[in-house]
Every structure is written in structure tokens, then in C-alpha cells.
Amino acid sequence: MSTDHFADFAPNKTPFTSLIASRDGQNFTYESLHDRVPHILTDIINAYFTAIQDYDGPNKDQAVAEGKQITSELSKLKHEMVTDKPLTPLEDDGLGDTHVWNDWLQKFFPGGTWYTTPFLTWETYMYRRIAMIFKRSEHWNSFDFFFAKKEATFKASKVAVAKLCKRVDELTNECLGDIENTTKLHVAFIELLQASLWGNQTDLSMFPDLDSAKIEEMQARISSGENNAKIVSNDSEKIWEIVSTLSGGRVDIVLDNSGFELLQDVLLAHWLVKVGYAKHVVFHPKRVPWYVSDVTNEDFHWLTDSMRNPHF
């Protein structure tokens, strides 16, 4: 579809604009802005305060002083959010997209506040602004304020990780032992694809207080296939029709959440390469820490290094 089709699209004039703003105290977006997202921002501030206290790198005094300034800016952001202040322009942080953000906000939501702009506008703006605060610093520009939570959540998934790896190993060996059996390949692909889909349940931006017991409960449902009847729109067969025609081609996977979901994406890629449908799989992570658990380049390498580590 050509981009001309969207030339007149205005995100501030859709039929749903008023419904997805957060001023109505009865909807999910209000609950998100009133409770869920301020909680996430508070967790960032608390985790970062601990990181400052534990800092033992070069130029410690300067890093700690800069850390206090960053903490102040994060607290200011939270205050603007909960008191419904206007969304302020982003400052240049070297990522190359601040002018796009600022032009977009000015064009569609001039003077827009946290409670009057649509849900997806203010929430993505918040994560982009947090990234800006850190990117403009000298000592903390590569600091991932979500990493500790992502790491802990994945380590809490060890039971499901072991089951998943065992199952994928079995599927892969079964397919390689009967590689001409397209029915077996088809069934294996659908199982792996749907497991990859349901890994999204451990999105930490939606469940900031997810504990180990809840994680295990969610992941048990994924392993059992119990969730598959709940898929609202299922194009798995259409995807299979495309994949089954590949012969050593390239598959691209746009990554969402790190940890358990990322592992499922990696294992899906492993299967695609092993059985010969793909020669290359290219993964696309986020450039900056995003929506708590989204995958960064560092997250990807941390996971693969952890899985190679026999002590993990």
C-alpha cells in the first residue's frame, strides 16, 4: 500500500481520539496514566538511585553528581505527568529523531497535556523522553534502567525455559529425522509460531509487579497450548504458506519483549535455519530501552551469552 493512502491521516481526528485519551476516569487509559505508568516511572527512579549509590566506575564524583541531576529530571517528568502539564518538546540527544517528534506533536497536539492526548501518544512520548534524559548525559548515556528487571524476570523463568528448550530440541530432531514429511514440518512450525506469540504475555510494561509465581503460571499455559483458542485473528496458516516456499532465504523478526519471549523468537529462528527454510534470520531490536521489557541489542547478546553459559 502506498504512503499516499495515508497522506490525509490525522491522528488527532480519528473516530477514536476522544476514547483513547485518558481524561475519562472509567477507562484503561485513565488507569494507565493514573496508576500503572507512574508506578513504572517510580520504579525507574528507585532503581536508578540504587545504581548511583553502587557506581564504582571512572570519574565517580562527576557521575554521581550527574546522576542526581538525572534523578531530578525524572522526578520533574513524573510531576508533569500526574499534574496534567503539557507535553514539552524533546531536546536534541543525538538519536536523530527529536525534530520528527517535536514537529508531530506541534502539528497534531499543540498544547496537548498528558490527560488530553491519546494514550499511545503520551506513553511512547514518556519512554522517548526518558531515553533523551539519559542520552544527553556523559556517564549514563548507555545505562539501561530496565535491565535489572528484565534479567530477574528471565531468571525466574528457568522452569519454563528448560521445558521450552527441551520441546524445541525434540521438534527439531523429529523434523530432521523425517525432513520430507511436510505435515510434520507444518505442525511443528505452527506450534513454535504460537508459542512465540504467547510469549508476549510477559510484557513488563503491562504487568510491572509480575512475580515469579505469576510468571510460571503464564508460561505453563503457553507450554500447554491452552491459550491458542483465545487468538482473535489467526493468520498462522497464511504465514506457513509463505514460509513453506522458502528455501534457504532470509527471515526478519521484529523483536518485542526480552527474556522468555525473545528466547522463543530465537528458538523459532533456530528451527527455521535447522530445517532449511531460512539461511539467515535478522533480528530487529529497539535502539533504546523501551516499554520496560522491549529488546535492545544488549539484551539480545545477554540472552545468547546466558544460554551458552553452563552455570546459568
Side-chain angles (χ1 to χ4, degrees):
M1 185 177 291
S2 85
T3 55
D4 292 342
H5 182 81
F6 299 104
D8 297 325
F9 174 73
N12 59 335
K13 295 180 181 177
T14 72
F16 307 105
T17 298
S18 62
L19 297 177
I20 57 178
S22 303
R23 55 193 163 204
D24 179 359
Q26 303 303 314
N27 59 24
F28 170 74
T29 64
Y30 176 85
E31 183 276 329
S32 292
L33 186 49
H34 191 261
D35 296 312
R36 179 178 62 84
V37 177
H39 183 169
I40 291 170
L41 195 44
T42 300
D43 284 348
I44 293 172
I45 294 170
N46 291 341
Y48 182 51
F49 177 80
T50 301
I52 296 170
Q53 299 299 110
D54 294 343
Y55 184 83
D56 196 29
N59 304 313
K60 182 173 182 177
D61 290 344
Q62 295 94 319
V64 170
E66 189 176 53
K68 291 178 179 178
Q69 177 60 36
I70 290 173
T71 302
S72 176
E73 292 184 48
L74 293 171
S75 299
K76 179 175 180 284
L77 172 59
K78 182 181 176 183
H79 176 75
E80 291 175 11
M81 177 191 299
V82 299
T83 56
D84 196 26
K85 295 292 189 293
L87 275 59
T88 58
L90 299 175
E91 300 175 54
D92 185 23
D93 58 5
L95 287 179
D97 65 347
T98 51
H99 68 287
V100 177
W101 273 91
N102 292 338
D103 291 348
W104 193 82
L105 288 171
Q106 181 58 36
K107 179 177 180 180
F108 295 114
F109 305 103
T113 68
W114 289 84
Y115 278 88
T116 60
T117 53
F119 171 47
L120 289 177
T121 299
W122 65 253
E123 188 162 14
T124 51
Y125 166 85
M126 182 197 74
Y127 289 108
R128 182 62 185 84
R129 185 161 156 195
I130 295 170
M132 178 203 79
I133 291 170
F134 281 92
K135 283 295 180 184
R136 286 174 58 83
S137 70
E138 179 180 351
H139 299 88
W140 301 94
N141 59 72
S142 60
F143 178 72
D144 184 348
F145 32 89
F146 294 133
F147 179 73
K149 184 179 281 282
K150 290 183 281 191
E151 179 185 31
T153 303
F154 185 65
K155 288 183 176 179
S157 305
K158 58 186 179 183
V159 173
V161 166
K163 288 181 179 178
L164 178 65
C165 290
K166 181 181 179 183
R167 178 58 183 153
V168 174
D169 196 42
E170 290 171 349
L171 282 175
T172 305
N173 289 331
E174 287 171 8
C175 291
L176 289 175
D178 194 6
I179 200 66
E180 300 301 322
N181 189 332
T182 55
T183 299
K184 186 172 288 186
L185 291 166
H186 178 195
V187 171
F189 174 76
I190 297 299
E191 180 177 337
L192 288 166
L193 185 68
Q194 293 184 348
S196 182
L197 164 70
W198 286 109
N200 185 255
Q201 281 196 311
T202 49
D203 183 335
L204 298 179
S205 71
M206 297 301 295
F207 307 102
D209 285 326
L210 210 56
D211 60 25
S212 298
K214 191 66 176 176
I215 291 168
E216 287 194 18
E217 179 187 330
M218 286 180 167
Q219 291 167 345
R221 289 200 298 269
I222 295 169
S223 300
S224 68
E226 172 187 336
N227 286 332
N228 294 338
K230 300 175 183 177
I231 299 174
V232 176
S233 179
N234 192 345
D235 285 331
S236 298
E237 295 300 330
K238 293 180 181 178
I239 299 170
W240 168 248
E241 287 175 11
I242 297 169
V243 169
S244 63
T245 64
L246 300 178
S247 181
R250 166 174 159 169
V251 173
D252 288 66
I253 298 179
V254 179
L255 300 172
D256 190 5
N257 295 294
S258 60
F260 189 67
E261 182 178 356
L262 171 59
L263 175 62
Q264 290 172 313
D265 294 335
V266 170
L267 291 174
L268 173 60
H270 163 79
W271 183 87
L272 288 169
V273 171
K274 276 289 190 179
V275 301
Y277 285 124
K279 184 177 182 180
H280 303 288
V281 177
V282 179
F283 297 93
H284 300 266
K286 301 296 192 301
R287 288 197 300 169
V288 294
W290 197 254
Y291 275 77
V292 186
S293 51
D294 280 25
V295 182
T296 65
N297 191 54
E298 291 74 19
D299 291 331
F300 185 94
H301 291 290
W302 179 84
L303 180 132
T304 54
D305 289 345
S306 297
M307 296 302 290
R308 289 191 186 103
N309 183 350
H311 301 293
F312 176 70

